[in-house]
Amino acid sequence: MKDFEYYTPTRVHFGKGAVDQIGALLREQGAHKVLIHYGGQSARRSGLLDRVEASVEQAGLAFVSLGGVVPNPRLSKVREGIDLARKEGVDFILAVGGGSVIDSSKAIGYGIPYDGDVWDFYAGKAKPQVVCPVGAVLTLAAAGSEMSNSSVISDEEHGLKWGLNNDICRCRFAVMDPELTYTLPPFQTACGVADILMHTMERYFTREPGTALTDELAEGLMRTVIASGRKALQVPDDYDARAQIMWAGSLSHNGLTGCGTVGDWSTHRLEHELSALFDVAHGAGLTALWGSWARYVYQEEPARFAQFAVNVLGCPNDFRDPAKTALLGIEAMERFYREIGMPTSIRELIGRSLSAEDLDTLADKCQARNPDLGNFKKLDRDDMRAIYQMAEG
Ligand code: NZQ
Ligand code: ZN
């Protein structure tokens, strides 16, 4: 088991009606003027924004609103938010939405007190020292941004999708009411399930020995998300299924399932290039790639994949041949992806095959951004290209 630090400062308010405390929570945080940041239409349509605004007003706080965040959130919207927040004297940002809205809020939070351009942080030209604080009302269990130290922003002008990890951006609080996720289209529920699983899997596929407790936590989380995902897709307003998924989403990306392991974020990094190039949903990009990554790397330590197959997916264990069990597990995972309507190839994801030029672009960009990718197996530029090619389908 590797030495680790575990820091997870976000205060969680979980359960039915939790949204109605939002005004009080903002006051507790010392907010005076709040930027309410949201996405397209879902939060307005469901009446959630009205509830949030009413609670903020009731607490005697001023607010301004900025909607229009799209999936794979854009740098231009972040810049718009920074300008508005400065002009209005905003001192707290409330994200109402999924990962894209929370990430956009975090980026605005970095940008408000900074003299230069916020992209400097994402490009690694500067390191943020202070932020305007962020809190979240979560409407989609998926990215885990409500408890993570990450934000991922797309510079649409240059075709870049880059992440930034820094503890200072972590949400001060996260309000999580599973009922808010009843309105999700099945595709978004499935993308969320896929992303939550992948945040756990990227930490689980480790070659670090002695991680028994973390393994048990991760395996239990993954089994629960698979079972609850099936349920929520059948019965969208099954509270308990939605609740398991929502809590798992946070635990899968707040560091808990990575304590003592050495993660391998290859599938995520390969996916970010796909969504930068084709603007696809992150969860669907992950399932299109994962089986190919897994087949490319499993022979480094088949026993780890065999453990996943048996303990998470219930595959029979062939003790004489861990590689065989490993492959059964990869196939079972892909069957689950298909069952919940997720693609298992890039062709299914984008509706066409990749050109040789696409493959080169993807591999070059991924390598440039991640010169030292992979831990389970190190991946150089040609490995990356080979995985994209295998994933074509
Ligand atoms: O814009 P609206 O109308 O709200 O619709 C959204 C959006 O179209 C809809 N939606 C959200 N809540 C809903 C709802 N529709 C009905 N009912 C609700 N309750 O869902 C669509 C997708 O939303 P989005 O926020 O984009 O999804 P997600 O939470 O999956 O976030 C994806 C982004 O997060 C990044 C991804 O790369 C991607 O850009 N990630 C962020 C991470 C982090 N900060 O820690 C880690 C992840 O690995 C990931 O990379
Ligand atoms: Zn993810």
Side-chain angles (χ1 to χ4, degrees):
M1 181 163 183
K2 203 170 175 286
D3 298 346
F4 65 90
E5 273 181 34
Y6 181 53
Y7 176 65
T8 181
T10 304
R11 187 178 292 275
V12 172
H13 299 266
F14 194 99
K16 291 181 187 179
V19 174
D20 302 315
Q21 313 168 34
I22 202 77
L25 295 178
L26 290 164
R27 271 174 74 110
E28 232 172 74
Q29 291 293 331
H32 296 96
K33 184 144 192 187
V34 181
L35 172 65
I36 300 179
H37 199 33
Y38 59 97
Q41 282 308 311
S42 74
R44 186 59 76 195
R45 224 177 12 237
S46 66
L48 173 61
L49 279 171
D50 295 336
R51 278 170 78 189
V52 168
E53 287 164 4
S55 177
V56 172
E57 268 170 357
Q58 222 168 28
L61 304 177
F63 70 89
V64 280
S65 302
L66 179 66
V69 178
V70 294
N72 301 317
R74 308 294 199 260
L75 180 57
S76 54
K77 180 58 70 176
V78 170
R79 289 184 176 136
E80 188 186 337
I82 294 167
D83 290 345
L84 176 70
R86 284 181 182 158
K87 196 174 94 204
E88 295 283 343
V90 160
D91 58 9
F92 198 96
I93 306 166
L94 182 66
V96 181
S100 294
V101 173
I102 302 174
D103 286 3
S104 184
S105 300
K106 289 175 173 175
I108 294 171
Y110 284 132
I112 291 172
Y114 180 57
D115 280 340
D117 178 26
V118 67
W119 191 249
D120 289 353
F121 298 134
Y122 292 81
K125 287 188 198 151
K127 205 170 169 218
Q129 306 296 334
V130 281
V131 287
C132 176
V134 175
V137 176
L138 187 65
T139 64
L140 165 49
S145 184
E146 67 281 2
M147 286 187 88
S148 81
N149 70 350
S150 310
S151 65
V152 189
I153 299 295
S154 294
D155 172 353
E156 66 273 38
E157 209 181 312
H158 300 99
L160 303 171
K161 179 174 174 176
W162 286 355
L164 173 64
N165 295 351
N166 191 311
D167 279 331
I168 63 173
C169 80
R170 288 187 193 258
C171 289
R172 296 287 179 88
F173 61 77
V175 168
M176 295 189 227
D177 178 347
E179 289 187 326
L180 298 180
T181 63
Y182 290 174
T183 51
L184 282 169
F187 176 73
Q188 289 299 342
T189 297
C191 281
V193 163
D195 197 17
I196 294 166
L197 288 169
M198 198 65 71
H199 294 153
T200 320
M201 288 151 71
E202 305 267 48
R203 292 174 166 94
Y204 181 87
F205 287 105
T206 182
R207 295 171 66 192
E208 182 71 23
T211 55
L213 175 59
T214 299
D215 286 358
E216 294 280 354
L217 291 171
E219 289 164 1
L221 189 153
M222 290 189 276
R223 286 194 304 270
T224 306
V225 170
I226 289 172
S228 304
R230 284 189 172 119
K231 253 194 221 159
L233 284 167
Q234 277 163 15
V235 187
D237 59 354
D238 183 318
Y239 181 83
D240 287 329
R242 292 292 190 181
Q244 309 313 312
I245 297 171
M246 193 169 235
W247 187 221
S250 300
L251 296 185
S252 78
H253 207 31
N254 76 353
L256 179 67
T257 59
C259 292
T261 78
V262 183
D264 183 324
W265 289 87
S266 298
T267 308
H268 262 78
R269 296 310 171 93
L270 291 161
E271 193 291 317
H272 283 171
E273 298 309 328
L274 270 187
S275 43
L277 199 59
F278 301 112
D279 199 19
V280 290
H282 170 62
L286 292 171
T287 61
L289 287 167
W290 182 76
S292 299
W293 170 81
R295 286 187 181 85
Y296 200 80
V297 307
Y298 79 96
Q299 273 164 330
E300 299 294 311
E301 197 170 317
R304 189 67 179 167
F305 275 83
Q307 181 182 335
F308 174 73
V310 174
N311 292 355
V312 178
L313 296 157
C315 297
N317 198 350
D318 186 335
F319 291 99
R320 285 155 309 170
D321 192 352
K324 197 169 146 200
T325 309
L327 281 172
L328 283 179
I330 296 169
E331 283 160 17
M333 197 66 205
E334 288 189 319
R335 265 199 309 281
F336 174 70
Y337 291 151
R338 284 193 285 270
E339 179 192 327
I340 62 171
M342 288 287 100
T344 51
S345 71
I346 294 176
R347 195 187 302 266
E348 282 170 74
L349 178 72
I350 64 170
R352 67 165 175 84
S353 54
L354 295 173
S355 63
E357 199 192 331
D358 290 334
L359 286 168
D360 287 332
T361 303
L362 287 164
D364 289 344
K365 283 176 72 188
C366 192
Q367 205 276 332
R369 181 67 178 165
N370 310 283
D372 187 27
L373 190 62
N375 280 310
F376 200 85
K377 179 180 170 68
K378 292 272 173 223
L379 302 178
D380 64 19
R381 187 258 180 215
D382 291 342
D383 295 320
M384 296 173 195
R385 195 182 189 284
I387 293 172
Y388 284 124
Q389 192 156 26
M390 274 171 76
E392 261 208 279

